[in-house]
Amino acid sequence: MVNETNLEELKSVQEHIQELSELLIQVVDDGASIGFMPPMTYSEAEQYWNHVLDPNVILFVATINGQLVGTVQLHLCSKQNGLHRAEIAKLMTHPQFRKRGTARLLMQLAEERAKKEDRSLLVLDTREGDPSNHLYSSLGFIQAGRIPDFAQSANGSLDATIIYYKLLS
């Protein structure tokens, strides 16, 4: 069976709500720092997805052999002084499908869409020490700073976050 990654933009989450919710639970329970604490319930995940889309949020998903294995969001800034920028949010890949280039493909797709939306600056943040730091650096994102004690982990420790940016040509 071919393990081809397919990428698409979702205009509605309803058709994929179960898969999206299960993905979110998997990555949160695996320790991802994306705003939630483990253990995550299905109802919490479903509630999140039911409220994620709005006109300034673009949601991309990745599937392999028909299974949803990753997502990323592009948040278009709607402030008058920020119409040139967007934020990358909630990049996640199912733990069983990591190290296959899915996150990189999702990030590249989000960047291309940002350019089509006439955005010249991308920003994001991620927990210090997470593998995603290497991905963002390899994609040309530049570390802008570090905020200590930004997010609490499941073990109660407070972790720093790293702020990244990328100027788009």
Side-chain angles (χ1 to χ4, degrees):
M1 185 176 280
V2 176
N3 286 323
E4 182 176 325
T5 303
N6 294 303
L7 304 172
E8 68 176 297
E9 178 184 345
L10 292 187
K11 301 286 189 180
S12 168
V13 298
Q14 293 315 306
E15 183 179 330
H16 301 280
I17 192 75
Q18 183 175 347
E19 283 184 295
L20 287 165
S21 297
E22 290 170 2
L23 173 65
L24 183 57
I25 291 166
Q26 286 288 325
V27 298
V28 169
D29 287 355
D30 192 53
S33 180
I34 55 174
F36 304 98
M37 298 287 276
M40 182 171 216
T41 67
Y42 185 86
S43 63
E44 288 173 312
E46 185 176 52
Q47 181 178 0
Y48 169 75
W49 287 114
N50 279 324
H51 294 95
V52 75
L53 287 181
D54 74 31
N56 295 313
V57 175
I58 301 167
L59 173 62
F60 297 106
V61 298
T63 58
I64 296 177
N65 298 329
Q67 180 180 347
L68 196 145
V69 299
T71 69
V72 71
Q73 297 169 34
L74 181 67
H75 293 205
L76 303 174
C77 184
S78 61
K79 297 175 185 172
Q80 285 183 335
N81 70 349
L83 297 176
H84 65 287
R85 71 178 185 258
E87 181 177 0
I88 299 289
K90 304 288 190 276
L91 175 66
M92 57 183 102
T93 304
H94 190 289
Q96 294 178 351
F97 289 87
R98 292 188 180 141
K99 303 287 186 194
R100 298 185 189 194
T102 303
R104 179 175 297 279
L105 290 171
L106 285 164
M107 287 293 294
Q108 291 168 337
L109 181 62
E111 182 176 327
E112 287 306 310
R113 179 58 179 272
K115 290 177 185 177
K116 288 180 183 172
E117 297 287 337
D118 293 323
R119 306 300 162 132
S120 59
L121 173 66
L122 286 177
V123 296
L124 61 85
D125 71 276
T126 192
R127 181 171 51 197
E128 183 176 50
D130 279 358
S132 56
N133 287 274
H134 300 293
L135 171 67
Y136 300 136
S137 295
S138 75
L139 289 169
F141 281 81
I142 298 166
Q143 183 174 326
R146 175 186 182 275
I147 303 172
D149 297 346
F150 188 80
Q152 186 174 2
S153 289
N155 67 5
S157 68
L158 295 176
D159 299 315
T161 194
I162 305 296
I163 309 294
Y164 287 93
Y165 73 92
K166 183 175 183 178
L167 296 171
L168 305 178
S169 54

